[in-house]
């Protein structure tokens, strides 16, 4: 099957999952009530603050990526780094995890950097981002242990999946078979031209992964990473002040909602749609009194907050798609 058709099939498969999840979350929501709340109950000043914080996180991510590529001897411009990052976020709205490949592809095209090396730097980024998420998860578990327990008790399917993932012999058996299959595949192709190309690709990927050890200012790299996640967190937390019913919730509540919502973004759906909303609504319901209409209000909060992030990715991503070739053409002419 041609790659183009595979991508089309992937797109519609993920889209179907996204639509089903979103419908399951919002199937009981009254559209008229939702629109009324968005018109009358929202302080949109904080939405603009959230957008500003989001932009700061993306700028920091772009600067951090520059540091990694520079450590390999490739000096990419900030504008190409930033536009590549934003186009990547935009691509994730079409196919989950496509953004990493897309931003490496566009920057490789205009900066003449091997794709495999750029991909290695992105994998390095993801490793550090995962470390940050795990550290924040640990903080939430330690400080909000009771509330996390309530969340798991209220969502038995999630708890069972978490326990089953690490205790099931099937999981470990599949991992073992994958490792053996990979070893056998490499052994079978070790003398062919495909293996040669694969070897070059893996060498570039490894070089990209190891870039962090050659970064000139390691503490600055760590600082960028912390700043990125701080802005992510604040982007969600300031949205609490958009609504009266969440404005009294403290920073630790915001951190709990943020961490749980981050795991919702891992789901294989476009932009975390549905999964992200479910995690935010379930987390907020732990801390809010179960009064009439409260679930509807949490759904409004989730829809507005996620919609803000998505709109930012769409608008800036499209602008970057249009500006990227013009910017690079002008630079070549200069």
């Amino acid at each position: 099957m041609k790659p183009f058709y595979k991508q089309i099939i992937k797109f519609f498969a993920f889209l179907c999952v996204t639509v089903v999840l979103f419908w399951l979350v919002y199937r009981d929501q009254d559209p008229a009530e939702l629109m009324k709340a968005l018109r009358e109950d929202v302080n949109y000043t904080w939405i603009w603050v959230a957008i500003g914080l989001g932009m700061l996180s993306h700028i920091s991510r772009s600067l951090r990526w520059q540091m990694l590529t520079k450590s390999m001897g490739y000096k990419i411009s900030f504008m190409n780094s930033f536009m590549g990052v934003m186009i990547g976020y935009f691509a994730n709205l079409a196919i989950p995890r496509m953004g990493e490949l897309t931003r490496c592809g566009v920057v490789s095209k205009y900066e003449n950097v091997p794709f495999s090396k750029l991909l290695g730097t992105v994998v390095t980024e993801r490793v550090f981002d995962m470390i940050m998420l795990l550290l924040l998860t640990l903080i939430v578990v330690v400080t909000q242990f009771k509330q996390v327990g309530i969340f798991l008790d209220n969502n038995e399917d999630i708890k069972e999946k978490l326990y089953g993932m690490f205790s099931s012999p099937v999981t470990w058996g599949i991992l073992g078979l994958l490792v053996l299959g990979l070893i056998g595949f490499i052994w079978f192709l070790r003398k062919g031209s495909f293996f040669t190309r694969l070897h070059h690709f893996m060498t570039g990927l490894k070089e990209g992964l190891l870039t962090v050890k050659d970064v000139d200012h390691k503490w600055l790299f760590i600082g960028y990473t912390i700043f990125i996640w701080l802005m992510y967190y604040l982007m969600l937390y300031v949205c609490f002040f958009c609504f009266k019913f969440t404005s009294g919730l403290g920073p630790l509540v915001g951190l709990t909602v943020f961490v749980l919502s981050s795991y919702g973004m891992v789901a294989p759906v476009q932009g975390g749609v549905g999964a992200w909303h479910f995690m935010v609504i379930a987390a907020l319901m732990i801390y809010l009194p179960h009064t009439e209409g409260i679930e509807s209000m949490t759904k409004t909060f989730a829809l507005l907050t996620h919609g803000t992030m998505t709109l930012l990715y769409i608008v800036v991503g499209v602008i970057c798609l249009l500006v990227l070739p013009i910017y690079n053409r002008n630079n070549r002419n200069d």
Side-chain angles (χ1 to χ4, degrees):
M1 186 179 293
K2 293 181 179 180
F4 173 76
Y5 294 113
K6 286 184 179 179
Q7 295 303 324
I8 293 294
I9 292 172
K10 280 184 181 180
F11 171 78
F12 282 105
F14 288 129
L15 182 62
C16 288
V17 175
T18 300
V19 171
V20 169
L21 285 175
F22 190 79
W23 177 80
L24 287 172
V25 173
Y26 284 93
R27 65 186 186 277
D28 298 325
Q29 181 68 37
D30 182 1
E33 184 181 348
L34 177 64
M35 295 306 299
K36 183 176 183 293
L38 290 174
R39 284 195 308 268
E40 301 176 4
D41 301 335
V42 181
N43 181 350
Y44 283 97
T45 299
W46 292 104
I47 292 296
W48 290 106
V49 174
I51 290 173
L53 294 169
M55 288 301 295
L56 288 175
S57 72
H58 305 322
I59 290 170
S60 184
R61 182 174 290 280
S62 305
L63 292 168
R64 186 180 69 171
W65 198 23
Q66 273 188 298
M67 292 186 71
L68 288 174
T69 56
K70 185 180 178 182
S71 66
M72 294 188 299
Y74 298 99
K75 188 176 181 181
I76 66 175
S77 70
F78 168 75
M79 286 301 298
N80 278 335
S81 177
F82 175 76
M83 287 190 284
V85 166
M86 297 311 300
I87 290 171
Y89 280 122
F90 181 56
N92 277 336
L93 297 177
I95 299 177
R97 306 279 73 85
M98 179 59 70
E100 286 82 353
L101 300 176
T102 303
R103 71 153 149 153
C104 291
V106 297
V107 172
S108 176
K109 175 182 177 181
Y110 290 110
E111 291 283 358
N112 197 28
V113 184
F115 176 85
S116 59
K117 292 185 179 183
L118 288 173
L119 186 60
T121 61
V122 172
V123 173
T124 300
E125 283 189 335
R126 288 292 174 259
V127 169
F128 278 86
D129 288 337
M130 183 56 67
I131 291 172
M132 283 298 302
L133 180 56
L134 291 175
L135 287 174
L136 292 174
T137 302
L138 180 62
I139 293 172
V140 167
V141 170
V142 170
T143 61
Q144 307 288 295
F145 184 80
K146 179 180 177 181
Q147 285 74 17
V148 172
I150 293 172
F151 174 83
L152 292 175
D153 288 339
N154 290 343
N155 299 277
E156 287 290 336
D157 54 336
I158 295 178
K159 182 166 68 174
E160 290 174 5
K161 286 178 182 178
L162 287 173
Y163 290 152
M165 185 184 300
F166 295 103
S167 61
S168 173
V170 176
T171 301
W172 294 105
I174 292 173
L175 287 174
L177 288 174
L178 286 173
V179 171
L180 290 174
L182 181 61
I183 293 172
F185 180 70
I186 293 174
W187 177 84
F188 179 75
L189 295 171
R190 68 187 186 279
K191 294 182 179 180
S193 60
F194 173 79
F195 180 78
T196 303
R197 292 195 297 270
L198 180 64
H199 175 72
H200 288 319
F201 177 82
M202 294 304 295
T203 301
L205 183 63
K206 179 182 177 182
E207 185 175 338
L209 274 167
L210 297 176
T211 50
V212 69
K213 69 180 178 60
D214 298 319
V215 169
D216 290 336
H217 306 286
K218 291 181 174 59
W219 283 110
L220 180 60
F221 177 86
I222 295 172
Y224 280 143
T225 302
I226 294 172
F227 185 80
I228 290 167
W229 282 84
L230 176 62
M231 293 302 103
Y232 282 168
Y233 158 65
L234 290 176
M235 187 181 182
L236 174 67
Y237 180 59
V238 297
C239 289
F240 278 16
F241 302 108
C242 293
F243 298 88
K244 288 183 180 179
F245 76 96
T246 51
S247 60
L249 299 176
L252 279 176
V253 176
L255 183 62
T256 304
V257 175
F258 169 69
V259 167
L260 292 174
S261 69
S262 297
Y263 287 106
M265 291 298 289
V266 178
V269 292
Q270 284 94 333
V273 174
W276 191 93
H277 297 76
F278 168 77
M279 297 296 274
V280 168
I281 293 165
L284 284 173
M285 291 297 290
I286 297 172
Y287 295 95
L288 295 169
H290 289 195
T291 57
E292 183 179 355
I294 193 65
E295 185 175 354
S296 175
M297 288 188 282
T298 60
K299 289 180 179 180
T300 304
F301 173 88
L303 188 66
L304 177 66
T305 307
H306 187 272
T308 299
M309 294 187 293
T310 303
L311 185 62
L312 175 64
Y313 296 150
I314 292 173
V315 172
V316 180
V318 169
I319 292 173
C320 289
L321 272 173
L322 297 173
V323 172
L324 184 67
I326 299 171
Y327 169 79
N328 284 280
R329 184 168 61 247
N330 291 339
N331 277 1
R332 284 198 299 269
N333 293 335
D334 293 342

